[in-house]
Amino acid sequence: MIAFEGELKLFERVLHGAFTNQADGLELKLSLRRLPNAPPPPAGAEAGAANTTANTANTITRPFLTFTSKGSNLNMVQELPISKPLASTEVDALISVIRSESVCPYYVDLIPVVEKLNNAVTTLKKISETIQVSLVRNGDAHFKAFRLQQYNTVGVEFRNLEVIPETQRMTDEDISQQSSPTSRLETAMEKELESSLIVSSKQLAKVISVYAYSKPRKLLCGIDHRADYLHMLFVYVDAHSDTVTDKESMSIKLASRSQ
């Protein structure tokens, strides 16, 4: 198995293009292209074989995903640049997370605050490459970034969100009586009522932005019991009955990272 990284927005454009043009199918293959890697030779350089050699030396091979959209009146080819294949250790770690079928001890529903959260995370990712996510059993959720130059943290707190399953919700007066988000989180940590981990701010921002065009009924956020990954579960409703369905959902797991 191989794995690589690509731009989510470009991938979205490919799918949107195929849908807009009513493609019957979408073929995918991995390809390599030679691209310019250096400025052209100076004016007056000798032509011929020497120039051909220079042109070859000034190119580099890059991997691409090539998408071919086909239909009755359509044959469209689009190329998506991707990264070099990830190292085998990174692939093994990714497979381990993907194949994990265990659910988190509890989740909080972020839908009531998702627009505010999206704006907050967009701001936080400009401050730091990582964000600390902390979830509390009373329904509080904290998102914090470490500002390196000022040696302090900047974050946002959302309180009293729905906890799923409800049996995992634990209210605590000592936490609610604290006057600041920091003191509330510290009290929750002392009482072992919170879970925390650090994830890529860029990846978290991309995942949260998915709500805008997928329109889930619930956006559940949980942390596994070992704090290895953040689980984002998009829950949708049946178009006919307007009730939550388990037939359509989207699950995204973000691996924990060090600060």
Side-chain angles (χ1 to χ4, degrees), residues 82-116:
I82 56 177
S83 69
K84 294 181 179 179
L86 301 181
S88 58
T89 53
E90 295 177 300
V91 174
D92 291 340
L94 183 61
I95 293 175
S96 177
V97 171
I98 292 174
R99 290 181 177 175
S100 173
E101 297 181 354
S102 61
V103 295
C104 301
Y106 64 95
Y107 295 81
V108 298
D109 182 14
L110 299 174
I111 276 297
V113 297
V114 68
E115 292 188 8
K116 294 180 180 179

Side-chain angles (χ1 to χ4, degrees), residues 16-59:
H16 182 71
F19 175 79
T20 302
N21 290 281
Q22 300 180 336
D24 295 330
L26 185 64
E27 295 182 356
L28 167 66
K29 68 177 181 179
L30 186 63
S31 60
L32 296 174
R33 286 185 55 191
R34 297 195 68 87
L35 300 175
N37 189 41
E46 294 183 3
N51 197 24
T52 302
T53 302
N55 288 337
T56 303
N58 291 334
T59 61

Side-chain angles (χ1 to χ4, degrees), residues 26-154:
L26 185 64
E27 295 182 356
L28 167 66
K29 68 177 181 179
L30 186 63
S31 60
L32 296 174
R33 286 185 55 191
R34 297 195 68 87
L35 300 175
N37 189 41
E46 294 183 3
N51 197 24
T52 302
T53 302
N55 288 337
T56 303
N58 291 334
T59 61
I60 187 172
T61 301
R62 292 288 177 85
F64 283 80
L65 283 181
T66 300
F67 296 86
T68 304
S69 305
K70 293 186 176 182
S72 56
N73 297 310
L74 174 70
N75 189 2
M76 181 172 62
V77 178
Q78 295 172 281
E79 292 184 319
L80 174 66
I82 56 177
S83 69
K84 294 181 179 179
L86 301 181
S88 58
T89 53
E90 295 177 300
V91 174
D92 291 340
L94 183 61
I95 293 175
S96 177
V97 171
I98 292 174
R99 290 181 177 175
S100 173
E101 297 181 354
S102 61
V103 295
C104 301
Y106 64 95
Y107 295 81
V108 298
D109 182 14
L110 299 174
I111 276 297
V113 297
V114 68
E115 292 188 8
K116 294 180 180 179
L117 176 60
N118 186 48
N119 294 333
V121 172
T122 299
T123 300
L124 293 177
K125 76 174 183 178
K126 298 176 182 178
I127 298 174
S128 173
E129 294 182 353
T130 58
I131 290 178
Q132 177 179 306
V133 181
S134 301
L135 304 179
V136 185
R137 288 184 180 271
N138 67 351
D140 293 352
H142 300 253
F143 298 82
K144 298 193 299 182
F146 181 69
R147 197 197 301 266
L148 184 60
Q149 295 178 343
Q150 284 79 15
Y151 294 99
N152 59 13
T153 58
V154 179

